[in-house]
Amino acid sequence: MTNGIRGRFISFEGIDGAGKSTQHQWLVDRLNAQGREVVATREPGGTPLGEKLRALLLAETMHLDTEALLMFAARREHVESVIRPALARGAWVVCDRFVDASMAYQGGGRGLSAVRLRDLAQWTLGDLRPDLTFLFDLPVELALKRLRAATPNPDRFEREQAEFFERVRATYLEIAAAEPHRVRVIDARLSLLEIQVTLENIIASY
Ligand code: TYD
């Protein structure tokens, strides 16, 4: 630990097509420009092993339990080798998706038991959670329109139907309602610039 102050942990969430990855990159650049040490990372992925698991998760047909376990296996590596060390030395970790995505996609989308997922989260993360989560929210119909226009080769998740994404979105909004201090809902229908102003204001007041 360099300064005795734990860094900040920020995650970006939302259904596919919400535009969060663009804003993730923008925030990373912005924080870097302010002279902070920023670790930009993503899930599934974030480590060499995690990126291999990501490739499997996005391409291969598998049982829904296998999918959940691989998501958490990748996360375990990520937390241990990237996130905890970065926070301990005072860096800001800005992560494109984290454990809320498992609650929303594997829980809401696939229908896996929330109790099981919480047990996995407890086992693999202990009490580590993001300090702040931006949830990019928009109607599923609009997200799918954006997604279909921007993604010529959709992955296994991006090929899901509207009903799947409705369940994912509903679960994300339930998490936001349960933890309003941590999870800030961003209206993803707004322009890139309007969203950036919102993010900036939230970070500044945080
Ligand atoms: P995503 O951030 O959408 O990658 P990209 O923008 O490059 O397509 O993440 C890939 C997919 O993984 C996404 O459809 C959601 C899914 N996912 C889960 O189902 N559970 C999880 O725990 C995580 C982290 C992601």
Side-chain angles (χ1 to χ4, degrees), residues 16 20-21 42-44 54 58 67 71 75 96-98 101-102 105-106 155 157-158:
D16 292 81
K20 67 175 174 47
S21 299
R42 68 171 180 181
E43 290 202 345
R54 177 188 178 92
L58 298 192
E67 179 182 289
M71 289 288 180
R75 184 165 296 127
D96 194 346
R97 298 193 185 281
F98 194 61
S102 294
Y105 279 79
Q106 281 64 56
D155 63 40
F157 292 96
E158 291 164 341

Side-chain angles (χ1 to χ4, degrees), residues 94-201:
V94 186
C95 194
D96 194 346
R97 298 193 185 281
F98 194 61
V99 68
D100 297 321
S102 294
M103 303 311 292
Y105 279 79
Q106 281 64 56
R110 301 276 192 238
L112 204 65
S113 144
V115 173
R116 283 215 162 155
L117 292 168
R118 277 194 214 106
D119 283 349
L120 281 173
Q122 178 57 37
W123 183 25
T124 55
L125 305 177
D127 60 1
L128 180 74
R129 292 295 180 280
D131 302 300
L132 178 63
T133 296
F134 292 120
L135 172 56
F136 285 71
D137 182 62
L138 81 176
V140 167
E141 198 185 326
L142 186 56
L144 288 183
K145 224 182 197 172
R146 286 184 182 178
L147 191 65
R148 307 290 183 234
T151 318
N153 298 310
D155 63 40
R156 206 161 64 79
F157 292 96
E158 291 164 341
R159 287 197 298 271
E160 288 291 341
Q161 300 301 304
E163 301 72 54
F164 175 86
F165 291 108
E166 292 289 1
R167 295 194 298 274
V168 175
R169 182 187 186 201
T171 309
Y172 269 135
L173 290 172
E174 280 169 23
I175 297 170
E179 293 179 73
H181 183 69
R182 173 175 70 88
V183 184
R184 304 298 177 88
V185 181
I186 305 295
D187 183 347
R189 293 169 302 181
L190 298 176
S191 69
L192 288 183
L193 202 64
E194 285 169 309
I195 291 176
Q196 286 158 7
V197 170
T198 308
L199 300 188
E200 185 102 56
N201 286 339

Side-chain angles (χ1 to χ4, degrees), residues 43 45-50 53 71-85 124:
E43 290 202 345
T47 64
L49 177 60
L53 294 173
M71 289 288 180
F72 277 96
R75 184 165 296 127
R76 186 75 183 100
E77 288 296 309
H78 192 204
V79 162
E80 222 42 48
S81 62
V82 176
I83 298 179
R84 281 195 197 277
T124 55

